[in-house]
Amino acid sequence: MRHPEPHIFHLTPETLGDWCAQRKWPKFRAKQILEWVYEKGVADPHAMSNLAKRERDQLAAEMTFLSGDTLSHQSASDGTQKLLIQWTDAGTSPLPIVGQSANDPARQTECVMIPSLDRTPGGTPTRRTACISSQVGCPVGCKFCASGLGGLDGNLSAGRIVEQVWRLARLPGVERISNIVFMGMGEPLANFASVIHAVRTIAAPWGMGIGARKITISTVGLPKAIERLAEELELPVTLALSLHAPNDDLRRKLIPWSSYTTIEELLGACRKWFDKTGREITLEYILLGGVNDRPQHAEELAEVASTLRANVNLIRYNEVEGMPFERPATGDVRRFQEILTQRGVNAHIRASRGRDIAAACGQLRHESNKAESGA
Ligand code: SF4
């Protein structure tokens, strides 16, 4: 099915205002439409009761509101919820999403809503984090990640990135999303223009209204793109560097894309980021049992981290069927953290969430793909 252009989640007050002006609608219509979508959570133009009937019909015929279909919605026992979304045409993607059939996994991405374990006295999670995708598939090909298995199938448009947040905000029990992480499928800095357009909409008071400081862009590291982000994005977002190994040899074995750069070059770009933005970097480090979780790796990582203003997030690997990596032992994770802390590095162990719903990145799409192919 082909959707009409434009896609509402791609528009700003200015571009929607121009669209309305071309149709000779009153000036305030753009504001009203955006209020319906972002404040009231309504994506059906027929329900926008303060618009004229003729305008509602025209909106429905000439603009796309929801450009994806939810193929699956899973809820884990810890409150994590995950969506597998099927994008039904190329839409406004700068690089068309490939795939022929309506159920082609090459058109699917995942997004996850993760409530924090801390609760207010009333029992409400203190944080709700939306983990969203920026591409369909991923070009980076990390050896431990299901998203990288089939390579890159296309970029998501800015509108489709925002649509994921909007959908997650409307899941049962979610009153408000407080944090955004670009840690789903894809390398955000390889889809630069769409990601920064989406970040502006997510942070805008007229859009999702989520403070830029609560938005984290996570990258495996493209030094030039990190510098460009510091220059071009006026918003104080957080940058997370997915390091995953403390030396180039091991990193290149785990992350094929890292053969294009060195850790030293990445650290140089991160220092420029700090100089320009004044914001500390988060180093993400996924612990793989017996591979990068040994004490000597912790010592090396401490050396790397000490050259930056950085925090380290340690993530315990969630096993993916068919992948040759194991979840690290609890004792090894603690020892790793202790070594970092003793060396003066601020290191946190990130809790694994949603383990009972295949919440590791790309796992749901991978399983849908296997089911489609009968594997
Ligand atoms: S971990 Fe991230 S960067 Fe690596 S293949 Fe998966 S989605 Fe891509």
Side-chain angles (χ1 to χ4, degrees):
M1 179 187 139
R2 213 175 157 82
H3 294 292
E5 304 264 355
H7 181 196
I8 185 71
F9 292 106
H10 201 81
L11 299 178
T12 63
E14 293 73 34
T15 52
L16 180 57
D18 291 345
W19 191 92
C20 292
Q22 282 161 13
R23 284 153 186 81
K24 310 229 174 317
W25 293 5
K27 254 191 167 172
F28 51 84
R29 283 290 183 254
K31 186 167 181 284
Q32 288 175 314
I33 296 166
L34 291 174
E35 279 170 2
W36 277 109
V37 173
Y38 290 108
E39 267 182 52
K40 299 176 189 154
V42 172
D44 173 6
H46 296 295
M48 298 179 179
S49 52
N50 54 3
L51 272 60
K53 162 91 172 60
R54 169 185 59 81
E55 292 166 345
R56 281 180 261 156
D57 291 345
Q58 211 171 342
L59 262 186
E62 297 177 14
M63 189 176 292
T64 293
F65 281 76
L66 296 179
S67 74
D69 294 320
T70 299
L71 278 193
S72 122
H73 171 200
Q74 296 186 346
S75 299
S77 49
D78 64 7
T80 300
Q81 299 186 62
K82 182 166 192 168
L83 299 177
L84 178 65
I85 301 176
Q86 177 88 35
W87 303 108
T88 43
D89 75 352
T92 46
S93 168
L95 172 63
I97 298 169
V98 299
Q100 301 303 315
S101 78
N103 278 336
D104 192 330
R107 293 162 173 249
Q108 295 166 7
T109 61
E110 300 172 4
C111 54
V112 189
M113 201 289 300
I114 308 159
S116 65
L117 295 173
D118 313 329
R119 308 262 155 174
T120 63
T124 312
T126 51
R127 246 177 310 122
R128 288 196 182 84
T129 302
C131 176
I132 54 174
S133 296
S134 54
Q135 296 185 299
V136 187
C138 183
V140 177
C142 299
K143 296 291 185 195
F144 47 82
C145 170
S147 291
L149 282 178
L152 177 69
D153 287 312
N155 281 334
L156 286 179
S157 62
R160 283 175 166 171
I161 295 171
V162 177
E163 185 177 322
Q164 293 171 70
V165 183
W166 187 92
R167 284 172 177 268
L168 290 171
R170 257 126 222 111
L171 290 177
V174 181
E175 288 146 32
R176 198 179 68 79
I177 292 203
S178 57
N179 295 64
I180 301 286
V181 290
F182 280 82
M183 290 186 188
M185 195 175 280
E187 162 52 56
L189 296 188
N191 186 14
F192 193 91
S194 294
V195 166
I196 62 170
H197 181 139
V199 165
R200 288 184 179 124
T201 303
I202 292 167
W206 55 263
M208 294 302 303
I210 298 169
R213 287 174 197 279
K214 307 279 182 189
I215 301 174
T216 299
I217 297 180
S218 176
T219 174
V220 294
L222 302 162
K224 290 273 170 261
I226 290 174
E227 290 172 31
R228 191 176 155 204
L229 190 69
E231 290 294 328
E232 289 184 25
L233 189 59
E234 67 290 355
L235 300 170
V237 297
T238 298
L239 183 70
L241 175 64
S242 299
L243 200 61
H244 305 325
N247 60 63
D248 285 324
D249 284 349
L250 182 55
R251 194 162 192 264
R252 285 172 186 165
K253 284 187 190 126
L254 297 175
I255 308 175
W257 247 37
S258 61
S259 53
Y260 297 117
T261 184
T262 63
I263 291 177
E264 197 39 55
E265 284 167 341
L266 284 175
L267 297 180
C270 290
R271 281 182 214 112
K272 286 188 186 157
W273 165 275
F274 181 79
D275 290 344
K276 177 81 190 169
T277 66
R279 297 187 60 75
E280 289 190 358
I281 309 273
T282 302
L283 296 177
E284 304 281 343
Y285 194 98
I286 194 159
L287 287 159
L288 304 161
V291 175
N292 64 353
D293 66 342
R294 305 291 85 203
Q296 72 268 23
H297 297 130
E299 301 280 358
E300 279 185 275
L301 179 58
E303 287 267 306
V304 169
S306 66
T307 67
L308 283 179
R309 295 285 293 272
N311 294 305
V312 174
N313 261 349
L314 300 171
I315 307 142
R316 288 182 77 178
Y317 180 65
N318 275 337
E319 306 90 339
V320 178
E321 199 195 322
M323 290 204 162
F325 295 102
E326 288 174 7
R327 195 169 159 79
T330 304
D332 290 342
V333 174
R334 292 224 180 93
R335 190 173 44 161
F336 201 96
Q337 184 192 28
E338 267 166 32
I339 294 171
L340 291 172
T341 309
Q342 282 159 6
R343 301 285 177 281
V345 177
N346 200 4
H348 306 275
I349 299 170
R350 198 160 358 114
S352 279
R353 308 299 307 280
R355 291 194 76 210
D356 47 338
I357 56 162
C361 169
Q363 216 166 324
L364 205 58
R365 177 179 183 254
H366 177 52
E367 282 167 16
S368 157
N369 195 345
K370 277 199 303 184
E372 283 258 311
S373 64

